[in-house]
Amino acid sequence: MVSVSKDDKTGTATLVLQRPPVNSLNLELLQEITAAIKNMEKDKCRGFILASNSPTVFSAGLDIMEMYQTKEERLRLFWKALQEMWRTLYLTPLYTVAAINGHSPAGGGVLALSCDYSVMVSSKATIGLNETKLGLKPPVWFQKIFVNAIGFKNAYKALNHGTLFTPQEALSLNLVDELAGDPAQVMEQAKKQLEFGIQIPNFARTSTKYEMRHPHVQELNSYADKEVEDICKFILSDRVQKTLEVYLDNLKKKK
Ligand code: CO8
């Protein structure tokens, strides 16, 4: 579900999400992303681009099928894997660039926001945290990284309304750092940014990253187990199951 290609000359890599059709994040994909990042860290890689092999979707966010009509035990494992993937990506000392070549809603937006830099294609694709549109509450740590990126007032409105932004809007809000004309250019610009990022003195960059980001992870750690329990209760409730059913139906009808 992921492939990692390394460039030994530069000490960098590209981690490509490849779970068709839309790179929705299921338990196994989350575990594979975490393992791939940890392996790159062990290999003394200096940075990587997070990319997608879908032509139009970066990631459709969490796999709704992991939340709909699922077993509690699987849901618990899934949520723990999500927390662990986020801790790993958010805190990795490697310099990370998201190459957002297409749609990036909800969990897809969280992936992008957890990198150090992002380049998004200028297309019909959108990005944002649309959880409330699904009848779900974005977890507190989703809210926090969103507020950190675009400020409280913008995040407050967007989270409450479940807004998905165009690339231009996302750029003007600081939700992404750069736009590119087409997916090939996204990769080109992401590579340039990666080259730039790994030139910065490593100790200074990685300790700054750690000091600025670690408190957010510590905060999640203080309630991570309780979050798993609360999420299970919430998602498995009849009301949320019904809402997810309607959302899935609408996704199918859209075709
Ligand atoms: N999970 C599972 N299946 C999905 C998902 C998803 N997130 N997104 C799309 N699919 C499925 C579709 O149902 C469709 O299935 P099928 O082929 O069987 O009909 C297939 O993938 C292809 O989808 P589309 O035809 O819609 O593909 P398009 O290329 O036309 O559109 C989009 C791509 C724009 C990404 C579109 O699929 C879309 O909008 N998907 C939904 C995205 C979304 O809303 N994601 C939110 C997920 S929830 C989340 O990430 C955070 C939850 C936090 C929970 C907190 C609880 C308290």
Side-chain angles (χ1 to χ4, degrees):
M1 288 183 206
V2 304
S3 76
V4 177
S5 54
K6 289 182 194 147
D7 179 340
D8 290 331
K9 256 198 240 155
T10 57
T12 61
T14 305
L15 193 174
V16 182
L17 306 175
Q18 39 192 43
R19 181 168 185 251
V22 291
N23 285 328
S24 63
L25 301 161
N26 71 347
L27 170 62
E28 289 75 17
L29 178 55
L30 291 168
Q31 289 172 333
E32 287 191 24
I33 297 170
T34 304
I37 298 172
K38 289 186 174 169
N39 278 333
M40 286 187 280
E41 288 173 0
K42 264 192 223 134
D43 286 353
K44 303 266 182 278
C45 190
R46 300 162 74 197
F48 68 90
I49 295 172
L50 181 60
S52 151
N53 78 340
S54 150
T56 52
V57 181
F58 178 65
S59 166
L62 302 190
D63 186 339
I64 298 167
M65 299 316 293
E66 291 284 14
M67 298 181 277
Y68 178 61
Q69 291 190 346
T70 183
K71 295 257 186 319
E72 185 170 339
E73 197 45 41
R74 169 103 187 171
L75 182 56
R76 197 169 276 136
L77 287 177
F78 171 67
W79 204 266
K80 283 185 180 168
L82 173 66
Q83 293 173 337
E84 182 57 11
M85 185 282 296
W86 179 68
R87 287 184 190 104
T88 308
L89 175 62
Y90 193 67
L91 276 189
T92 180
L94 278 65
Y95 189 77
T96 51
V97 183
I100 311 167
N101 63 320
H103 294 285
S104 195
V110 170
L111 282 181
L113 277 169
S114 302
C115 291
D116 294 313
Y117 195 88
S118 58
V119 183
M120 183 172 187
V121 69
S122 206
S123 70
K124 287 190 175 148
T126 58
I127 184 167
L129 302 190
N130 61 331
E131 281 80 355
T132 51
K133 286 260 172 72
L134 284 80
L136 302 174
K137 177 189 82 68
V140 172
W141 47 283
F142 282 35
Q143 296 173 27
K144 288 268 162 81
I145 54 174
F146 205 50
V147 167
N148 289 342
I150 69 172
F152 186 86
K153 183 71 195 293
N154 289 323
Y156 180 81
K157 255 195 300 183
L159 289 173
N160 276 292
H161 298 167
T163 312
L164 289 172
F165 296 105
T166 65
Q168 195 56 52
E169 289 167 339
L171 180 68
S172 60
L173 282 169
N174 247 344
L175 187 50
V176 299
D177 297 303
E178 211 176 293
L179 296 187
D182 60 45
Q185 276 179 343
V186 170
M187 279 311 280
E188 274 316 300
Q189 290 175 218
K191 274 184 199 154
K192 275 206 185 113
Q193 183 62 30
L194 184 58
E195 280 164 24
F196 168 82
I198 61 171
Q199 296 307 324
I200 296 168
N202 200 47
F203 173 77
R205 184 186 63 73
T206 56
S207 44
T208 303
K209 177 170 181 173
Y210 186 82
E211 283 178 9
M212 292 188 77
R213 290 190 164 191
H214 188 248
H216 306 136
V217 172
Q218 256 182 326
E219 191 182 329
L220 168 64
N221 290 346
S222 71
Y223 63 79
D225 289 343
K226 182 172 184 312
E227 181 183 66
V228 174
E229 298 312 314
D230 291 349
I231 290 280
C232 284
K233 226 184 264 168
F234 177 74
I235 288 178
L236 296 172
S237 69
D238 290 344
R239 182 172 58 84
V240 173
Q241 288 297 305
K242 188 69 208 157
T243 314
L244 290 177
E245 187 178 308
V246 172
Y247 192 78
L248 281 165
D249 273 357
N250 287 340
L251 265 183
K252 294 209 185 306
K253 277 189 203 138
K254 188 192 72 171
K255 284 186 167 168

